[in-house]
Amino acid sequence: MKYDRIMIRYGEMSLKGRNRKHFVQKLKKNIQFMLRDFENIRIESKWDRMFVVLNDEPVDYVVKQLKKVFGIQSFSPVLKTEKNIDAIKAAALHLVEQAHSPGNTFKVSARRTDKTFEYDTNGLNHTVGAHILINVDDISVNVKKPDLKLVVEIRQDAAYLSGEVFHGAGGFPVASSGKAMLMLSGGIDSPVAGFLTMKRGVGIEAVHFHSPPFTSERAKQKVLDLAGKLAQYSGSVKVHIVPFTKIQETIHKEIPSGYSMTATRRMMLKITDEIRNQREGLAIITGESLGQVASQTMESMLAINAVTNTPIIRPLIAMDKLEIIKIAEEIDTFEISNRPYEDCCTIFTPPSPKTRPRLDKIITFEEKLDWGPLLKEAVDGVETIMVSARVKKPENSIEDLF
Ligand code: ATP
Ligand code: MG
């Protein structure tokens, strides 16, 4: 006997009455996608739970993948048995025998959705608990802080037993609430901003500004690698690489140096907004954090933001760098972001960018030139790369990890 399925408990989405059906469908599709390398898996979705039926696929790798799926509150590998007390006792004993080491404590925690079952939750706790105490050496009960918590759930169709609860990633299923464009640099912040927005159910496509030969292929690869990390949460991420050299050179020539940073950001935002429009996105995401650098003061944001009415999501706006780094480490982007690279902005950064640019001034400076053809050329020259995350099923898997 071994775990034959994984029971998935939904997260916050259970609060969203009317949207629930849509969320559950989306979650099912996302799980299917994340587990697409495991051909034998079947997914059964119910109103309040979902089951991944393993059909002998390796439970440890499936668990690893499920930890990255947004919309899951928690999940447990489970054993499905007949709804009769002898079968339940046998399965419970089997699970405890597998997991237990001498001196361990345990607790049985029963739940019923089928209230007609012959035992109530107390009766189940006692009967199953007694069976384990009689049959396992050197084990005792501890209801407050057990080493092993055996959950027995009596549902309409069968009984489900589990011994371990894994935390899910929380949030909402990715792409259940539309799509937004993530302005992805090679820095630490923007991948974290993308991750946090995906967690709220938003699908993302990334936009990256690249200025060859001032920025190298390595810098581009770095961004693709970052996108690859984000793709772990959605299966894949499209990256739109914008050729930005000409615009940066023009800004460098035509705009007074104190304002070149503001102009650069404004052009980036305009182009991103045009790509968003073409791709039918609903918002733009950036990694801006208040006060971090010259372009992230309130005055700067006002001057930059003035080019569009599109909602701009800034998940990091009030976070400290250390908080951001902590998340970057958790999602495994920190090391990639720390690779040395040339940022298209740092290369052209003037010695003293204005920290309090004025909107009227930047508009006046920009008006001296017709930016339309340059912007169009950049948008037309976009190269789109699809970055996928694939988890290969191991040849020899460790079947009984639990
Ligand atoms: P990050 O760590 O994300 O690079 P940062 O602290 O370095 O952020 P800035 O360089 O001012 O801050 O960039 C602010 C935001 O502008 C970034 O978080 C990102 O969303 C966007 N951005 C900056 N450079 C680029 C780029 N080359 N391509 C796409 N977006 C960019
Ligand atoms: Mg940066």
Side-chain angles (χ1 to χ4, degrees):
M1 241 190 292
K2 61 184 181 212
Y3 288 124
D4 57 0
R5 66 199 60 220
I6 294 177
M7 182 196 275
I8 291 170
R9 303 174 194 88
Y10 305 149
E12 250 181 272
M13 69 165 129
S14 47
L15 303 172
K16 298 233 159 190
R18 262 183 303 153
N19 288 332
R20 190 186 176 105
K21 202 169 153 204
H22 168 66
F23 281 134
V24 171
Q25 274 167 357
K26 194 77 214 174
L27 181 63
K28 184 176 179 185
K29 263 182 101 173
N30 289 355
I31 292 175
Q32 248 157 3
F33 195 65
M34 292 292 266
L35 299 180
R36 65 197 183 283
D37 283 332
F38 306 93
E39 306 97 34
N40 300 317
I41 270 174
R42 233 171 0 96
I43 298 173
E44 296 169 0
S45 62
K46 309 249 160 75
W47 171 252
D48 59 342
R49 294 273 192 271
M50 203 173 289
F51 290 95
V52 174
V53 182
L54 292 167
N55 287 325
D56 285 331
E57 294 286 8
V59 66
D60 46 346
Y61 281 84
V62 174
V63 164
K64 204 170 150 204
Q65 282 299 84
L66 288 177
K67 281 185 179 166
K68 296 182 216 141
V69 181
F70 293 125
I72 297 178
Q73 184 189 33
S74 66
F75 59 94
S76 302
V78 297
L79 249 177
K80 183 179 179 179
T81 66
E82 271 176 56
K83 258 188 342 188
N84 77 58
I85 195 69
D86 289 334
I88 293 169
K89 282 201 283 199
L93 181 59
H94 175 76
L95 285 188
V96 172
E97 274 172 342
Q98 273 192 342
H100 140 273
S101 28
N104 272 174
T105 57
F106 81 106
K107 167 191 180 175
V108 181
S109 180
R111 266 179 235 149
R112 291 192 310 172
T113 37
D114 173 9
K115 303 284 183 203
T116 64
F117 188 64
E118 54 180 320
Y119 290 79
D120 65 6
T121 50
N122 263 337
L124 271 164
N125 289 342
H126 284 118
T127 312
V128 176
H131 186 67
I132 290 167
L133 281 172
I134 292 165
N135 290 289
V136 182
D137 290 336
D138 206 3
I139 197 165
S140 57
V141 174
N142 181 339
V143 287
K144 286 230 170 89
K145 241 184 145 194
D147 299 315
L148 306 169
K149 186 176 162 195
L150 186 71
V151 178
V152 179
E153 212 172 313
I154 310 291
R155 297 175 63 82
Q156 296 303 333
D157 60 333
Y160 294 89
L161 284 83
S162 59
E164 197 156 1
V165 179
F166 293 96
H167 284 296
F172 297 106
V174 172
S176 60
S177 336
K179 179 169 79 182
M181 313 308 287
L182 168 66
M183 295 180 70
L184 184 61
S185 68
I188 294 166
D189 304 327
S190 41
V192 174
F195 165 79
L196 291 173
T197 312
M198 290 167 94
K199 184 168 177 173
R200 301 314 291 172
V202 178
I204 61 159
E205 290 188 14
V207 177
H208 176 67
F209 292 85
H210 184 49
S211 302
F214 306 106
T215 56
S216 65
E217 276 304 303
R218 264 184 327 143
K220 183 167 142 187
Q221 188 55 47
K222 183 179 180 187
V223 168
L224 296 178
D225 291 347
L226 289 171
K229 290 291 175 189
L230 295 177
Q232 299 204 40
Y233 300 92
S234 60
S236 62
V237 168
K238 277 202 180 99
V239 183
H240 306 286
I241 310 268
V242 184
F244 201 50
T245 316
K246 239 183 179 172
I247 293 181
Q248 287 214 285
E249 285 171 339
T250 313
I251 290 172
H252 195 60
K253 257 200 320 233
E254 305 289 340
I255 304 280
S257 82
Y259 272 84
S260 67
M261 170 69 87
T262 314
T264 307
R265 297 295 181 190
R266 281 165 59 90
M267 297 303 160
M268 279 187 175
L269 192 54
K270 270 191 201 180
I271 292 169
T272 305
D273 204 27
E274 178 51 32
I275 299 171
R276 175 203 64 78
N277 191 31
Q278 289 178 4
R279 310 281 318 153
E280 298 180 348
L282 299 170
I284 293 169
I285 308 157
T286 76
E288 286 163 302
S289 172
L290 207 50
Q292 228 184 53
V293 287
S295 61
Q296 297 176 25
T297 61
M298 301 268 274
E299 290 83 355
S300 258
M301 277 198 280
L302 184 86
I304 295 164
N305 213 152
V307 301
T308 179
N309 288 322
T310 301
I312 300 187
I313 300 175
R314 299 181 176 93
L316 314 185
I317 198 69
M319 281 190 181
D320 290 343
K321 196 74 186 184
L322 286 179
E323 295 173 84
I324 299 169
I325 289 175
K326 190 162 169 263
I327 302 175
E329 279 169 343
E330 278 163 20
I331 64 172
D332 209 19
T333 54
F334 187 64
E335 228 169 272
I336 302 175
S337 295
N338 258 345
R339 279 186 215 155
Y341 86 122
E342 333 72 31
D343 181 346
C344 68
C345 308
T346 41
I347 287 158
F348 288 95
T349 301
S352 52
K354 277 246 177 297
T355 50
R356 293 163 194 266
R358 278 177 37 196
L359 181 57
D360 56 337
K361 280 202 171 175
I362 183 66
I363 289 174
T364 312
F365 294 143
E366 283 177 9
E367 268 169 4
K368 297 205 174 97
L369 212 84
D370 178 10
W371 297 88
L374 277 173
L375 294 174
K376 184 172 182 311
E377 196 183 325
V379 173
D380 290 347
V382 164
E383 177 196 4
T384 298
I385 300 170
M386 177 78 129
V387 181
S388 308
R390 284 197 90 78
V391 170
K392 277 273 167 270
K393 191 167 68 171
E395 290 294 321
N396 296 308
S397 63
I398 325 145
E399 288 276 345
D400 290 306
L401 193 74
F402 304 101

